[in-house]
Amino acid sequence: MQVLLGATLIDGTGASPVPDAAVLIDGERIVAAGPRPAISWRPDASLIDLSGFTLMPGLIDTHDHLASHGYALTKRWGLDEPASTTHLRTARVLEQTLAMGYTTVRDAGGLDAGFRLAIEEGMIAGPRLSLSLKIISPTGGIGDSVSASGHSCWIPADPNLPDSVANGAHEVRIVVRTMVRAGADAIKCATTGGASSRPGHGPTDAAFTREEMRVLVDEAHALGRKVMCHALGGPGLRLAVEAGVDSIEHGCYLADEPDLIAMMAERGIVLTPTLLVYVYHRESRAPHVRERARALYARHLETVQTALAAGVKVVAGTDAGGHDHPANARELECLVDAGMTPLQAIRAGTGLAAECLGWETTVGTVQADRLADLVAVQGDPLRDIRLLQQMNRIKVVWKGGRICVDRRAAVATADDRTARLET
Ligand SMILES: [Zn+2]
Protein backbone atom coordinates (compact mmCIF):
# COMPACT_ATOMS: atom_id res chain seq x y z
CA MET A 1 0.00 0.00 0.00
CA GLN A 2 1.31 3.45 -0.99
CA VAL A 3 0.28 6.76 0.55
CA LEU A 4 1.03 9.86 -1.51
CA LEU A 5 1.25 12.74 0.92
CA GLY A 6 1.44 16.53 0.89
CA ALA A 7 0.69 17.37 -2.75
CA THR A 8 -2.00 19.76 -3.92
CA LEU A 9 -4.58 17.45 -5.46
CA ILE A 10 -6.48 18.30 -8.64
CA ASP A 11 -8.80 15.31 -8.88
CA GLY A 12 -10.02 15.69 -12.48
CA THR A 13 -13.71 16.13 -11.57
CA GLY A 14 -13.53 19.91 -11.86
CA ALA A 15 -13.52 20.33 -8.06
CA SER A 16 -11.26 22.96 -6.48
CA PRO A 17 -7.72 21.81 -5.64
CA VAL A 18 -7.16 20.19 -2.24
CA PRO A 19 -3.97 21.35 -0.49
CA ASP A 20 -1.94 18.88 1.60
CA ALA A 21 -3.77 15.86 0.23
CA ALA A 22 -3.41 12.15 0.87
CA VAL A 23 -4.02 9.52 -1.83
CA LEU A 24 -4.08 5.91 -0.75
CA ILE A 25 -3.20 3.24 -3.36
CA ASP A 26 -3.63 -0.50 -2.92
CA GLY A 27 -2.24 -2.55 -5.78
CA GLU A 28 -3.39 -0.99 -9.04
CA ARG A 29 -6.27 1.01 -7.61
CA ILE A 30 -6.95 4.14 -5.60
CA VAL A 31 -8.58 3.34 -2.27
CA ALA A 32 -9.16 6.85 -0.96
CA ALA A 33 -8.24 10.46 -1.75
CA GLY A 34 -8.82 13.76 0.02
CA PRO A 35 -7.42 16.16 2.59
CA ARG A 36 -4.77 14.43 4.74
CA PRO A 37 -6.78 14.50 8.02
CA ALA A 38 -9.70 12.71 6.33
CA ILE A 39 -7.64 9.70 5.20
CA SER A 40 -6.21 6.93 7.40
CA TRP A 41 -3.83 4.11 6.50
CA ARG A 42 -2.14 1.08 7.97
CA PRO A 43 1.19 1.62 9.74
CA ASP A 44 3.04 -0.62 7.25
CA ALA A 45 2.02 1.51 4.23
CA SER A 46 4.92 3.10 2.35
CA LEU A 47 4.74 6.89 2.47
CA ILE A 48 5.77 9.02 -0.50
CA ASP A 49 6.30 12.70 0.25
CA LEU A 50 5.00 14.90 -2.56
CA SER A 51 5.16 18.28 -0.80
CA GLY A 52 5.54 21.05 -3.36
CA PHE A 53 3.99 18.97 -6.16
CA THR A 54 0.61 19.06 -7.82
CA LEU A 55 -0.93 15.61 -8.08
CA MET A 56 -3.38 14.97 -10.92
CA PRO A 57 -4.99 12.06 -12.72
CA GLY A 58 -2.85 10.71 -15.56
CA LEU A 59 -3.60 12.86 -18.60
CA ILE A 60 -5.74 11.65 -21.51
CA ASP A 61 -5.51 12.61 -25.19
CA THR A 62 -8.81 11.73 -26.89
CA HIS A 63 -7.54 12.15 -30.46
CA ASP A 64 -4.02 11.16 -31.45
CA HIS A 65 -2.45 9.33 -34.37
CA LEU A 66 0.41 7.65 -32.59
CA ALA A 67 1.58 5.65 -35.61
CA SER A 68 1.57 8.64 -37.99
CA HIS A 69 4.83 10.41 -38.62
CA GLY A 70 4.01 13.11 -41.21
CA TYR A 71 1.41 14.20 -43.76
CA ALA A 72 3.57 13.52 -46.85
CA LEU A 73 2.19 10.79 -49.10
CA THR A 74 5.37 8.73 -48.71
CA LYS A 75 4.82 8.80 -44.95
CA ARG A 76 1.08 8.13 -45.09
CA TRP A 77 1.53 5.18 -47.41
CA GLY A 78 4.63 3.94 -45.59
CA LEU A 79 6.92 4.19 -48.62
CA ASP A 80 9.92 6.01 -47.21
CA GLU A 81 11.30 3.43 -44.80
CA PRO A 82 10.89 -0.23 -43.83
CA ALA A 83 7.79 -1.08 -41.79
CA SER A 84 10.09 -2.19 -38.96
CA THR A 85 11.63 1.26 -38.44
CA THR A 86 8.20 2.86 -38.59
CA HIS A 87 6.99 0.50 -35.87
CA LEU A 88 10.03 1.25 -33.70
CA ARG A 89 9.42 4.97 -34.23
CA THR A 90 5.84 4.45 -33.07
CA ALA A 91 7.02 2.52 -30.00
CA ARG A 92 9.24 5.46 -29.08
CA VAL A 93 6.30 7.87 -29.41
CA LEU A 94 4.24 5.63 -27.10
CA GLU A 95 7.04 5.62 -24.53
CA GLN A 96 7.54 9.39 -24.70
CA THR A 97 3.80 10.05 -24.46
CA LEU A 98 3.59 8.07 -21.22
CA ALA A 99 6.75 9.79 -19.96
CA MET A 100 4.94 13.15 -20.34
CA GLY A 101 2.17 12.02 -17.98
CA TYR A 102 -0.30 10.76 -20.61
CA THR A 103 -1.49 7.45 -19.23
CA THR A 104 -4.42 7.00 -21.66
CA VAL A 105 -4.67 7.84 -25.35
CA ARG A 106 -7.43 7.27 -27.86
CA ASP A 107 -5.92 6.69 -31.28
CA ALA A 108 -8.02 8.21 -34.06
CA GLY A 109 -6.61 6.00 -36.78
CA GLY A 110 -3.41 4.28 -37.85
CA LEU A 111 -2.35 2.33 -34.76
CA ASP A 112 -3.04 -1.40 -34.81
CA ALA A 113 -3.95 -3.68 -31.93
CA GLY A 114 -0.45 -5.19 -31.81
CA PHE A 115 0.79 -2.09 -29.99
CA ARG A 116 -1.91 -2.44 -27.33
CA LEU A 117 -0.87 -6.07 -26.89
CA ALA A 118 2.84 -5.14 -26.68
CA ILE A 119 2.06 -2.61 -23.90
CA GLU A 120 -0.19 -5.03 -22.01
CA GLU A 121 2.53 -7.70 -22.18
CA GLY A 122 5.15 -5.20 -20.97
CA MET A 123 7.26 -5.43 -24.15
CA ILE A 124 7.17 -1.65 -24.54
CA ALA A 125 6.12 1.24 -22.29
CA GLY A 126 3.06 3.24 -23.27
CA PRO A 127 -0.31 4.61 -22.25
CA ARG A 128 -3.53 2.63 -22.05
CA LEU A 129 -4.91 2.62 -25.57
CA SER A 130 -8.36 2.97 -27.01
CA LEU A 131 -8.02 2.13 -30.70
CA SER A 132 -10.12 2.97 -33.73
CA LEU A 133 -7.75 1.43 -36.32
CA LYS A 134 -8.94 3.20 -39.49
CA ILE A 135 -11.22 6.07 -40.54
CA ILE A 136 -14.40 4.79 -42.18
CA SER A 137 -15.65 6.88 -45.11
CA PRO A 138 -17.23 6.37 -48.53
CA THR A 139 -15.24 6.52 -51.78
CA GLY A 140 -13.76 10.01 -52.05
CA GLY A 141 -13.93 10.59 -48.28
CA ILE A 142 -10.88 10.93 -46.05
CA GLY A 143 -10.66 7.18 -45.47
CA ASP A 144 -10.10 6.69 -49.21
CA SER A 145 -6.34 6.80 -49.90
CA VAL A 146 -5.84 8.51 -53.23
CA SER A 147 -2.75 10.38 -54.44
CA ALA A 148 -2.77 13.77 -56.20
CA SER A 149 -2.34 11.88 -59.49
CA GLY A 150 -5.61 10.08 -58.83
CA HIS A 151 -4.02 6.71 -58.15
CA SER A 152 -5.27 4.61 -55.27
CA CYS A 153 -2.86 3.18 -52.74
CA TRP A 154 -1.77 -0.17 -54.23
CA ILE A 155 -0.16 -1.52 -51.08
CA PRO A 156 -2.17 -4.53 -49.86
CA ALA A 157 -4.35 -3.70 -46.85
CA ASP A 158 -2.93 -4.85 -43.52
CA PRO A 159 -5.53 -7.15 -41.91
CA ASN A 160 -4.84 -5.35 -38.63
CA LEU A 161 -5.80 -2.04 -40.27
CA PRO A 162 -8.67 -3.17 -42.51
CA ASP A 163 -9.86 -1.37 -45.61
CA SER A 164 -12.19 1.35 -44.38
CA VAL A 165 -14.01 2.52 -47.53
CA ALA A 166 -17.71 1.62 -47.38
CA ASN A 167 -20.53 2.54 -49.76
CA GLY A 168 -24.15 1.82 -48.88
CA ALA A 169 -25.64 0.63 -45.61
CA HIS A 170 -24.71 -3.01 -46.22
CA GLU A 171 -20.99 -2.29 -46.69
CA VAL A 172 -20.96 0.12 -43.76
CA ARG A 173 -22.25 -2.59 -41.45
CA ILE A 174 -19.61 -5.04 -42.70
CA VAL A 175 -16.76 -2.53 -42.25
CA VAL A 176 -17.85 -1.68 -38.68
CA ARG A 177 -17.89 -5.38 -37.82
CA THR A 178 -14.50 -5.87 -39.49
CA MET A 179 -12.98 -3.05 -37.40
CA VAL A 180 -14.31 -4.60 -34.22
CA ARG A 181 -12.99 -8.02 -35.27
CA ALA A 182 -9.54 -6.46 -35.79
CA GLY A 183 -9.61 -5.00 -32.26
CA ALA A 184 -11.24 -1.56 -32.47
CA ASP A 185 -12.39 -0.08 -29.13
CA ALA A 186 -14.06 2.85 -30.90
CA ILE A 187 -15.41 3.42 -34.41
CA LYS A 188 -13.92 6.36 -36.30
CA CYS A 189 -15.71 7.77 -39.30
CA ALA A 190 -15.72 10.97 -41.34
CA THR A 191 -18.71 12.85 -42.72
CA THR A 192 -16.77 15.83 -44.12
CA GLY A 193 -13.38 16.58 -45.58
CA GLY A 194 -10.78 18.42 -43.53
CA ALA A 195 -8.10 21.06 -43.70
CA SER A 196 -5.52 18.60 -44.98
CA SER A 197 -7.76 16.42 -47.16
CA ARG A 198 -7.45 16.43 -50.94
CA PRO A 199 -8.49 19.50 -52.96
CA GLY A 200 -12.20 19.12 -53.76
CA HIS A 201 -13.08 17.54 -50.41
CA GLY A 202 -12.80 20.35 -47.90
CA PRO A 203 -14.16 21.10 -44.41
CA THR A 204 -17.77 21.65 -45.51
CA ASP A 205 -17.96 18.97 -48.23
CA ALA A 206 -20.14 16.09 -47.08
CA ALA A 207 -19.61 12.33 -47.12
CA PHE A 208 -22.07 9.50 -46.34
CA THR A 209 -25.86 9.50 -46.54
CA ARG A 210 -28.31 9.61 -43.64
CA GLU A 211 -29.00 5.90 -44.04
CA GLU A 212 -25.28 4.99 -44.07
CA MET A 213 -24.64 6.98 -40.88
CA ARG A 214 -27.73 5.58 -39.16
CA VAL A 215 -26.46 2.07 -39.81
CA LEU A 216 -22.90 2.93 -38.77
CA VAL A 217 -24.01 4.32 -35.41
CA ASP A 218 -26.52 1.53 -34.89
CA GLU A 219 -23.98 -1.23 -35.57
CA ALA A 220 -21.21 0.39 -33.51
CA HIS A 221 -23.56 0.82 -30.53
CA ALA A 222 -24.87 -2.72 -30.91
CA LEU A 223 -21.26 -3.89 -30.56
CA GLY A 224 -20.68 -1.62 -27.53
CA ARG A 225 -18.43 0.87 -29.34
CA LYS A 226 -18.66 4.65 -29.28
CA VAL A 227 -18.54 6.55 -32.57
CA MET A 228 -16.02 9.35 -32.99
CA CYS A 229 -16.80 11.31 -36.12
CA HIS A 230 -14.50 13.66 -38.00
CA ALA A 231 -16.83 16.51 -39.05
CA LEU A 232 -15.89 20.16 -39.58
CA GLY A 233 -18.94 21.91 -41.02
CA GLY A 234 -21.79 22.00 -43.51
CA PRO A 235 -24.32 19.22 -44.16
CA GLY A 236 -21.92 16.46 -43.10
CA LEU A 237 -21.59 17.98 -39.63
CA ARG A 238 -25.38 18.11 -39.32
CA LEU A 239 -25.64 14.52 -40.52
CA ALA A 240 -23.20 13.32 -37.83
CA VAL A 241 -24.90 15.09 -34.92
CA GLU A 242 -28.38 14.07 -36.04
CA ALA A 243 -27.23 10.45 -36.52
CA GLY A 244 -26.25 10.42 -32.84
CA VAL A 245 -22.47 9.93 -32.96
CA ASP A 246 -20.81 10.08 -29.53
CA SER A 247 -18.22 12.74 -30.29
CA ILE A 248 -17.63 15.32 -32.97
CA GLU A 249 -13.95 15.55 -33.82
CA HIS A 250 -12.80 19.06 -34.88
CA GLY A 251 -16.32 20.57 -35.31
CA CYS A 252 -14.73 23.84 -36.45
CA TYR A 253 -17.89 25.39 -37.94
CA LEU A 254 -20.35 24.37 -35.21
CA ALA A 255 -20.71 28.05 -34.30
CA ASP A 256 -22.68 28.41 -37.56
CA GLU A 257 -25.28 25.87 -36.35
CA PRO A 258 -26.63 26.87 -32.91
CA ASP A 259 -29.30 24.16 -33.02
CA LEU A 260 -26.62 21.49 -33.40
CA ILE A 261 -24.74 22.83 -30.37
CA ALA A 262 -27.98 22.68 -28.37
CA MET A 263 -28.56 19.12 -29.58
CA MET A 264 -25.03 18.09 -28.56
CA ALA A 265 -25.52 19.51 -25.07
CA GLU A 266 -28.87 17.76 -24.70
CA ARG A 267 -27.70 14.37 -26.00
CA GLY A 268 -24.28 14.49 -24.31
CA ILE A 269 -22.37 14.48 -27.61
CA VAL A 270 -18.80 15.47 -26.83
CA LEU A 271 -16.73 17.99 -28.81
CA THR A 272 -13.01 17.36 -29.40
CA PRO A 273 -11.91 20.57 -31.13
CA THR A 274 -8.24 19.50 -31.67
CA LEU A 275 -7.12 23.14 -31.77
CA LEU A 276 -3.44 22.23 -31.92
CA VAL A 277 -3.52 20.68 -35.38
CA TYR A 278 -4.92 23.87 -36.89
CA VAL A 279 -2.05 25.91 -35.42
CA TYR A 280 0.14 23.70 -37.60
CA HIS A 281 -2.14 23.75 -40.66
CA ARG A 282 -2.29 27.56 -40.65
CA GLU A 283 1.41 27.51 -41.60
CA SER A 284 1.19 24.53 -43.99
CA ARG A 285 3.25 24.59 -47.16
CA ALA A 286 0.25 23.32 -49.14
CA PRO A 287 -1.72 26.44 -50.18
CA HIS A 288 -5.17 24.77 -50.03
CA VAL A 289 -4.48 23.46 -46.49
CA ARG A 290 -3.19 26.83 -45.26
CA GLU A 291 -6.18 28.65 -46.75
CA ARG A 292 -8.73 26.27 -45.19
CA ALA A 293 -7.09 26.43 -41.74
CA ARG A 294 -6.91 30.23 -41.76
CA ALA A 295 -10.51 30.51 -42.94
CA LEU A 296 -11.86 28.41 -40.09
CA TYR A 297 -9.74 29.80 -37.24
CA ALA A 298 -12.11 32.51 -35.92
CA ARG A 299 -15.18 30.23 -36.25
CA HIS A 300 -13.35 27.46 -34.44
CA LEU A 301 -12.59 29.66 -31.43
CA GLU A 302 -16.18 30.87 -31.37
CA THR A 303 -17.32 27.24 -31.60
CA VAL A 304 -15.36 26.30 -28.47
CA GLN A 305 -16.72 29.27 -26.54
CA THR A 306 -20.33 28.76 -27.66
CA ALA A 307 -20.17 25.02 -26.97
CA LEU A 308 -18.80 25.61 -23.47
CA ALA A 309 -21.46 28.22 -22.73
CA ALA A 310 -24.17 25.81 -23.95
CA GLY A 311 -22.92 23.04 -21.65
CA VAL A 312 -21.34 20.80 -24.29
CA LYS A 313 -18.53 18.63 -22.94
CA VAL A 314 -15.37 19.89 -24.63
CA VAL A 315 -12.34 17.59 -24.33
CA ALA A 316 -8.64 17.66 -25.17
CA GLY A 317 -7.36 15.93 -28.29
CA THR A 318 -4.24 16.92 -30.22
CA ASP A 319 -4.70 15.22 -33.61
CA ALA A 320 -0.92 14.71 -33.38
CA GLY A 321 0.91 12.49 -35.83
CA GLY A 322 0.74 14.34 -39.14
CA HIS A 323 2.18 17.38 -37.39
CA ASP A 324 4.79 15.33 -35.55
CA HIS A 325 4.37 14.45 -31.87
CA PRO A 326 4.74 17.61 -29.78
CA ALA A 327 3.98 17.62 -26.04
CA ASN A 328 0.31 16.54 -25.94
CA ALA A 329 -0.35 19.13 -23.21
CA ARG A 330 0.02 21.88 -25.79
CA GLU A 331 -3.65 21.25 -26.49
CA LEU A 332 -4.45 22.27 -22.89
CA GLU A 333 -2.68 25.58 -23.54
CA CYS A 334 -4.76 26.00 -26.73
CA LEU A 335 -7.96 25.36 -24.74
CA VAL A 336 -6.96 28.01 -22.20
CA ASP A 337 -6.22 30.42 -25.06
CA ALA A 338 -9.71 29.62 -26.39
CA GLY A 339 -11.31 30.66 -23.10
CA MET A 340 -11.14 27.77 -20.63
CA THR A 341 -9.74 28.27 -17.16
CA PRO A 342 -6.68 26.07 -16.47
CA LEU A 343 -8.84 23.94 -14.15
CA GLN A 344 -11.39 23.44 -16.95
CA ALA A 345 -8.60 22.54 -19.37
CA ILE A 346 -7.21 19.94 -16.95
CA ARG A 347 -10.68 18.45 -16.54
CA ALA A 348 -10.98 18.40 -20.38
CA GLY A 349 -7.79 16.32 -20.43
CA THR A 350 -8.72 14.00 -17.53
CA GLY A 351 -12.23 13.41 -16.16
CA LEU A 352 -14.20 14.60 -19.20
CA ALA A 353 -11.77 12.91 -21.58
CA ALA A 354 -12.38 9.62 -19.76
CA GLU A 355 -16.15 10.16 -20.22
CA CYS A 356 -15.54 10.73 -23.93
CA LEU A 357 -13.91 7.28 -24.14
CA GLY A 358 -16.60 5.68 -21.94
CA TRP A 359 -13.86 4.85 -19.43
CA GLU A 360 -14.97 7.20 -16.63
CA THR A 361 -15.46 4.43 -14.07
CA THR A 362 -11.87 3.27 -14.65
CA VAL A 363 -9.61 6.29 -15.26
CA GLY A 364 -9.60 10.09 -15.46
CA THR A 365 -10.25 11.07 -11.84
CA VAL A 366 -8.52 10.59 -8.49
CA GLN A 367 -11.32 8.80 -6.68
CA ALA A 368 -11.79 5.51 -4.86
CA ASP A 369 -11.90 2.44 -7.16
CA ARG A 370 -10.28 4.17 -10.13
CA LEU A 371 -7.02 2.80 -11.48
CA ALA A 372 -4.08 4.59 -9.88
CA ASP A 373 -2.99 6.46 -13.02
CA LEU A 374 -1.45 9.63 -11.61
CA VAL A 375 1.03 12.34 -12.39
CA ALA A 376 2.96 14.51 -9.93
CA VAL A 377 3.94 17.86 -11.43
CA GLN A 378 6.45 20.29 -9.97
CA GLY A 379 4.74 23.67 -9.65
CA ASP A 380 1.18 24.87 -10.12
CA PRO A 381 -0.37 24.21 -13.55
CA LEU A 382 -3.36 26.33 -12.55
CA ARG A 383 -1.04 29.34 -12.60
CA ASP A 384 0.73 28.29 -15.77
CA ILE A 385 -0.80 25.48 -17.83
CA ARG A 386 2.39 25.32 -19.93
CA LEU A 387 4.24 23.58 -17.07
CA LEU A 388 2.60 20.36 -18.30
CA GLN A 389 4.62 20.57 -21.51
CA GLN A 390 7.97 20.57 -19.69
CA MET A 391 9.44 17.13 -19.27
CA ASN A 392 11.39 17.80 -16.09
CA ARG A 393 8.25 19.19 -14.41
CA ILE A 394 6.53 15.83 -14.94
CA LYS A 395 8.22 14.34 -11.88
CA VAL A 396 6.44 11.05 -11.23
CA VAL A 397 3.99 9.06 -13.34
CA TRP A 398 2.03 6.10 -11.98
CA LYS A 399 0.18 3.71 -14.25
CA GLY A 400 -2.00 1.19 -12.46
CA GLY A 401 -0.30 1.97 -9.14
CA ARG A 402 3.19 1.33 -10.51
CA ILE A 403 5.72 4.15 -10.80
CA CYS A 404 6.80 4.15 -14.44
CA VAL A 405 8.58 7.53 -14.55
CA ASP A 406 10.52 9.11 -11.67
CA ARG A 407 12.40 12.34 -12.20
CA ARG A 408 12.43 13.56 -8.61
CA ALA A 409 16.23 13.58 -8.61
CA ALA A 410 16.43 15.78 -11.74
CA VAL A 411 16.55 19.57 -11.39
CA ALA A 412 13.96 21.44 -13.47
CA THR A 413 15.09 24.22 -15.76
CA ALA A 414 12.96 26.86 -17.46
CA ASP A 415 12.61 24.93 -20.70
CA ASP A 416 13.78 21.35 -20.73
CA ARG A 417 11.47 19.78 -23.28
CA THR A 418 14.49 18.32 -25.04
CA ALA A 419 15.82 16.65 -21.91
CA ARG A 420 16.63 12.98 -22.32
CA LEU A 421 14.13 10.39 -21.28
CA GLU A 422 15.01 8.68 -18.06
CA THR A 423 12.50 5.87 -18.28
ZN1 LIG B 1 -7.28 12.99 -36.67
Side-chain angles (χ1 to χ4, degrees):
M1 197 168 263
Q2 303 172 62
V3 190
L4 317 185
L5 281 173
T8 298
L9 174 66
I10 298 174
D11 70 5
T13 67
S16 301
V18 176
D20 194 22
V23 175
L24 195 56
I25 301 172
D26 190 12
E28 62 174 9
R29 291 195 181 265
I30 296 164
V31 179
R36 187 195 294 241
I39 310 289
S40 55
W41 53 87
R42 292 200 313 253
D44 63 341
S46 62
L47 307 184
I48 298 178
D49 179 21
L50 295 177
S51 311
F53 294 114
T54 302
L55 187 62
M56 306 180 355
L59 291 156
I60 301 174
D61 187 337
T62 64
H63 187 133
D64 201 334
H65 298 276
L66 292 153
S68 299
H69 305 287
Y71 282 112
L73 187 75
T74 52
K75 292 279 184 195
R76 286 193 282 116
W77 290 10
L79 301 172
D80 69 332
E81 65 177 344
S84 50
T85 45
T86 304
H87 292 332
L88 290 165
R89 205 176 293 290
T90 302
R92 193 173 61 182
V93 171
L94 288 162
E95 182 182 83
Q96 287 174 341
T97 304
L98 177 66
M100 291 300 287
Y102 277 76
T103 52
T104 298
V105 174
R106 182 166 71 171
D107 193 84
L111 191 70
D112 74 54
F115 288 95
R116 188 179 54 203
L117 186 63
I119 290 171
E120 284 170 3
E121 289 193 2
M123 267 186 262
I124 56 172
R128 299 179 198 283
L129 294 172
S130 172
L131 302 178
S132 62
L133 307 183
K134 284 277 280 272
I135 304 169
I136 303 175
S137 85
T139 298
I142 63 169
D144 186 12
S145 297
V146 178
S147 71
S149 64
H151 290 90
S152 292
C153 183
W154 66 89
I155 298 162
D158 179 346
N160 297 296
L161 295 170
D163 183 18
S164 60
V165 173
N167 293 294
H170 180 66
E171 282 185 21
V172 166
R173 206 179 283 280
I174 293 171
V175 170
V176 170
R177 289 174 179 172
T178 307
M179 291 298 162
V180 172
R181 184 181 68 185
D185 304 290
I187 296 299
K188 171 82 184 284
C189 63
T191 56
T192 75
S196 66
S197 53
R198 65 178 170 81
H201 189 54
T204 57
D205 295 317
F208 275 141
T209 63
R210 191 165 296 274
E211 173 67 359
E212 286 167 327
M213 277 306 290
R214 190 190 62 73
V215 167
L216 185 145
V217 171
D218 177 63
E219 190 61 30
H221 287 174
L223 296 172
R225 267 63 175 184
K226 287 185 182 265
V227 177
M228 57 187 302
C229 184
H230 163 114
L232 275 69
L237 175 61
R238 176 164 296 277
L239 183 63
V241 175
E242 290 180 353
V245 302
D246 299 284
S247 63
I248 292 291
E249 308 296 307
H250 319 301
C252 314
Y253 289 106
L254 268 169
D256 293 346
E257 324 268 356
D259 66 313
L260 293 186
I261 291 184
M263 207 181 291
M264 287 175 69
E266 190 195 313
R267 297 184 180 177
I269 299 173
V270 175
L271 172 64
T272 307
T274 68
L275 295 162
L276 184 56
V277 71
Y278 298 99
V279 173
Y280 174 82
H281 284 326
R282 285 202 295 279
E283 303 306 323
S284 171
R285 282 191 303 186
H288 74 281
V289 174
R290 196 166 59 229
E291 194 181 310
R292 287 166 174 177
R294 290 181 181 179
L296 63 79
Y297 177 58
R299 297 309 283 153
H300 204 183
L301 285 184
E302 200 182 327
T303 286
V304 173
Q305 287 154 9
T306 314
L308 280 174
V312 175
K313 290 170 183 166
V314 178
V315 301
T318 55
D319 205 7
H323 62 96
D324 205 355
H325 295 278
N328 301 63
R330 279 189 64 190
E331 181 66 16
L332 304 185
E333 181 186 354
C334 290
L335 289 169
V336 169
D337 289 345
M340 280 192 187
T341 65
L343 189 65
Q344 279 178 311
I346 288 171
R347 186 177 177 219
T350 55
L352 283 184
E355 283 185 39
C356 176
L357 271 58
W359 289 7
E360 67 275 10
T361 58
T362 317
V363 296
T365 53
V366 185
Q367 289 180 293
D369 296 330
R370 301 299 186 283
L371 289 168
D373 290 359
L374 298 158
V375 54
V377 182
Q378 186 175 47
D380 182 3
L382 298 182
R383 280 169 63 166
D384 184 359
I385 196 74
R386 293 172 303 177
L387 297 187
L388 299 174
Q389 301 167 33
Q390 295 174 18
M391 183 178 285
N392 276 355
R393 296 268 183 184
I394 308 298
K395 287 294 182 185
V396 192
V397 181
W398 290 259
K399 185 181 162 198
R402 204 177 64 79
I403 291 179
C404 48
V405 174
D406 192 348
R407 298 193 186 90
R408 278 173 292 178
V411 179
T413 54
D415 186 350
D416 44 27
R417 262 169 271 176
T418 54
R420 268 197 56 207
L421 281 176
E422 292 151 37
T423 50

